[in-house]
Amino acid sequence: MSRSGRGQGGPATAQRGGAGCANVHERPPLHRSPTQRPQRPTLLPLLLPVPLHPREQLRRLLLEHRPPPLLVRRLARLPVPVHRPHLPHLLALLPPAGVHHERGARPLDSLPPAGQVGRPLVDACGEGVAAVVRSTGVVLAINDRVGLPRPLRVPGMNRFSGVMADGTSDALSGVSWQGKRVVVFGMGAFAVENVRTALESGASHVTVVARRLGTICPKMIDYLNFVKPWDEQYRHDPLTNIKQMKCWRDCYIKSGAVAPEVWPGKVKHDGHTISVSDIWFVAHHLGKMCTKVGTLESMVEGGCVLSDGSFLPADIVVGCIGFTRNTTFCEQLTGRTEVMHSNYLDKNMMYLADAEIDETAFNSFFGSSVLEYAKFYTNTYVQAFERPDALGSILWGAAVKRTPVSLRKWTQYIAVAQELIEKDTTMRGLAADQVRERTKHFYRTMSPEAFLEVNRLEWEELHERLNGSPVSKDKQLPYLFGAAPSWCAPANEVLP
């Protein structure tokens, strides 16, 4: 799920550039005698071509070195973290090879020893130089689902007397929201985040307009999806699922927020995420926001004209109408237009990227976290390197289903993960360890009882923050999740 508040990814969210990550500009000093060449680990042949335009380098390298799988990374001025927990294992599994260079190139200064963490894979690369790594295995951990933002462009924008901007890339930084009438177009994660920003910054009212209504869930629902007990098939208890779904539905009913059109048959629209926001429900209850189905037809001096001819007065208009898919990057890098449901493009060549969030995407132990998906498939990649005979038929065999790269969906790789767990004892154990350690981390960071108290207090404080003055308890939106800790395992069963 996409979070409309800070701390996306739950308590386990990693900080960029934190411990265990090495950036290419943070190079440790090289130590060697001028008369002695350092002993190089014989892991990867590396080519450092003379500086060319990066696009031209990429084009030439792909033409020259295919079909062997390649990993091509532009390093010029990009602080790219290259260490991951399994990198030492992957390096140790690669076949012996020397470090080579060709005419017009210079040799690499050093490689990190296998098993040494916190150092860049390529550790002496001049400005404007790309590195080519030839190997027997490649993981393409690149963005897929979120490409370029779709701009909100309609006739009459030049006549609008207020502020109109896209809700991405800090385009609205420095804008004063205090007392303003705000209209947000779109209802995905970025739209919900802009709603939060506007309301917390003192907007008098926010109207959200979308072609279809997205799904918003309270923070407690997202928390429960990670900490509630799982059965052997990684399903939550149906009875407690019904109880929390009733609380969720009551949040919509009691606040006056409009539930998505697909309820109760589906939780969300295909292609949509589920945004997490308490402020959404409290603001509806206080009359500080509303939602409408429609699209923007044109702008006039004082506001927006919608497709049904209605007029919305506005001081600030924010466009959050989605992103193009970024699948063409994978296709350009690899020359492949199809990917297996296992995320593999070929043997030992994985496309580890987010995909379209389809209907049942959150019904797995990955929950709402791309990080949890990446953890499991990183383990899968390592195991497949070590045991190709055991796992190859599931991951890249002839019977593995394929789909166009542009049509990848979460449920495809969730189904393969389930097959791995069912058929392979080691993968079953790794999945169980992942879920157990994650649950322990949640309990240590904030147990269900602690989360309940903090969330309840925040829920009550939101009323005063949005109203600008205290709101008596009897006029607040009731907090509906008081029984939630009883749906979770006791702390002494989770923590040693």
Side-chain angles (χ1 to χ4, degrees), residues 237-248:
D237 173 52
L239 181 59
T240 60
N241 282 349
I242 292 171
K243 290 178 179 178
Q244 72 184 55
M245 195 68 196
K246 181 181 183 302
C247 291
W248 190 357

Side-chain angles (χ1 to χ4, degrees), residues 433-481:
D433 290 344
Q434 180 175 333
V435 171
R436 182 170 50 253
E437 291 305 311
R438 180 183 72 201
T439 305
K440 287 181 180 178
H441 183 76
F442 269 87
Y443 269 68
R444 290 192 190 102
T445 305
M446 194 170 287
S447 68
E449 291 78 11
F451 187 89
L452 171 70
E453 292 309 311
V454 170
N455 187 232
R456 190 202 302 270
L457 180 61
E458 184 183 52
W459 184 278
E460 294 172 355
E461 289 176 344
L462 278 173
H463 291 78
E464 181 174 344
R465 190 186 312 171
L466 298 186
N467 189 58
S469 59
V471 178
S472 61
K473 278 284 189 71
D474 61 310
K475 293 185 179 180
Q476 293 181 9
L477 177 65
Y479 185 77
L480 303 172
F481 297 99

Side-chain angles (χ1 to χ4, degrees), residues 352-431:
L352 189 62
D354 199 359
E356 180 183 327
I357 306 172
D358 48 343
E359 161 57 18
T360 57
F362 300 130
N363 295 340
S364 79
F365 69 88
F366 299 154
S368 61
S369 174
V370 177
L371 292 177
E372 292 299 310
Y373 144 65
K375 286 179 189 177
F376 178 82
Y377 270 99
T378 300
N379 279 327
T380 298
Y381 189 81
V382 172
Q383 289 297 315
F385 241 118
E386 295 176 334
R387 302 185 294 123
D389 292 341
L391 300 180
S393 61
I394 302 174
L395 297 174
W396 58 73
V400 181
K401 294 180 180 179
R402 297 172 178 267
T403 191
V405 174
S406 59
L407 298 178
R408 292 176 67 245
K409 300 179 187 299
W410 269 53
T411 50
Q412 294 165 354
Y413 48 71
I414 288 173
V416 174
Q418 191 62 41
E419 183 180 0
L420 286 166
I421 291 168
E422 291 172 358
K423 295 182 177 180
D424 188 84
T425 303
T426 301
M427 294 307 304
R428 188 180 311 125
L430 288 170

Side-chain angles (χ1 to χ4, degrees), residues 242-262:
I242 292 171
K243 290 178 179 178
Q244 72 184 55
M245 195 68 196
K246 181 181 183 302
C247 291
W248 190 357
R249 183 198 64 188
D250 287 348
C251 278
Y252 273 103
I253 294 172
K254 294 180 182 297
S255 69
V258 184
E261 303 93 333
V262 293

Side-chain angles (χ1 to χ4, degrees), residues 2 17 22 49 68 79 95 107 118 138 172 176 184 215 239 284 294 302 383 405 409 430 439 468 473 494:
S2 297
V138 174
L172 288 157
S176 173
V184 177
T215 301
L239 181 59
H284 273 88
Q383 289 297 315
V405 174
K409 300 179 187 299
L430 288 170
T439 305
K473 278 284 189 71
V494 175

Side-chain angles (χ1 to χ4, degrees), residues 20-21 262 328 445 486:
C21 279
V262 293
T328 55
T445 305
S486 67

Side-chain angles (χ1 to χ4, degrees), residues 1-312:
M1 297 181 191
S2 297
R3 288 158 176 76
S4 171
R6 273 72 172 176
Q8 184 163 340
T13 300
Q15 296 297 316
R16 181 175 180 176
C21 279
N23 293 333
V24 296
H25 289 306
E26 297 171 357
R27 305 179 185 122
L30 302 174
H31 302 285
R32 66 174 176 176
S33 165
T35 59
Q36 262 190 334
R37 292 181 61 83
Q39 182 170 355
R40 305 177 186 278
T42 54
L43 298 173
L44 299 169
L46 293 165
L47 305 176
L48 290 178
V50 293
L52 295 169
H53 190 281
R55 290 184 183 275
E56 178 61 18
Q57 286 182 1
L58 181 60
R59 186 187 71 81
R60 293 186 185 186
L61 294 167
L62 288 176
L63 287 174
E64 182 178 354
H65 296 288
R66 217 168 47 192
L70 298 178
L71 176 60
V72 179
R73 176 173 284 160
R74 287 177 57 184
L75 297 177
R77 299 185 177 276
L78 292 177
V80 182
V82 296
H83 170 67
R84 294 292 183 268
H86 292 287
L87 180 58
H89 305 293
L90 296 182
L91 290 175
L93 290 167
L94 294 174
V99 178
H100 304 289
H101 64 98
E102 59 182 11
R103 184 176 63 83
R106 60 183 177 81
L108 187 70
D109 286 340
S110 70
L111 270 173
Q116 181 172 339
V117 299
R119 289 193 58 197
L121 179 59
V122 176
D123 137 305
C125 185
E127 294 294 330
V129 179
V132 180
V133 181
R134 185 189 301 142
S135 73
T136 55
V138 174
V139 175
L140 295 169
I142 56 179
N143 178 36
D144 178 323
R145 190 166 59 87
V146 179
L148 294 174
R150 297 187 182 100
L152 184 64
R153 300 289 181 267
V154 293
M157 291 171 58
N158 59 326
R159 298 198 299 269
F160 180 52
S161 58
V163 174
M164 186 172 185
D166 292 326
T168 59
S169 304
D170 290 328
L172 288 157
S173 61
V175 169
S176 173
W177 303 87
Q178 185 67 40
K180 299 296 196 306
R181 300 164 299 178
V182 179
V183 180
V184 177
F185 286 91
M187 204 169 167
F190 278 81
V192 175
E193 179 66 13
N194 276 275
V195 168
R196 181 198 63 78
T197 298
L199 289 169
E200 289 190 342
S201 300
S204 63
H205 189 271
V206 176
T207 302
V208 174
V209 182
R211 293 181 296 115
R212 52 186 186 177
L213 298 178
T215 301
I216 317 297
C217 81
K219 290 181 181 179
M220 179 61 85
I221 296 291
D222 191 43
Y223 176 83
L224 290 170
N225 198 34
F226 285 101
V227 300
K228 281 174 55 183
W230 304 88
D231 65 15
E232 291 185 355
Q233 284 73 45
Y234 293 101
R235 295 172 302 195
H236 289 308
D237 173 52
L239 181 59
T240 60
N241 282 349
I242 292 171
K243 290 178 179 178
Q244 72 184 55
M245 195 68 196
K246 181 181 183 302
C247 291
W248 190 357
R249 183 198 64 188
D250 287 348
C251 278
Y252 273 103
I253 294 172
K254 294 180 182 297
S255 69
V258 184
E261 303 93 333
V262 293
W263 275 29
K266 300 170 85 173
V267 173
K268 63 176 209 54
H269 288 286
D270 286 345
H272 268 225
T273 185
I274 299 177
S275 295
V276 181
S277 174
D278 288 347
I279 201 171
W280 185 273
F281 299 99
V282 174
H284 273 88
H285 173 73
L286 294 176
K288 301 286 287 186
M289 73 169 295
C290 65
T291 52
K292 292 175 64 72
V293 175
T295 58
L296 178 61
E297 187 72 19
S298 64
M299 296 296 299
V300 295
E301 182 179 358
C304 315
V305 179
L306 304 186
S307 52
D308 62 1
S310 61
F311 172 73
L312 283 178

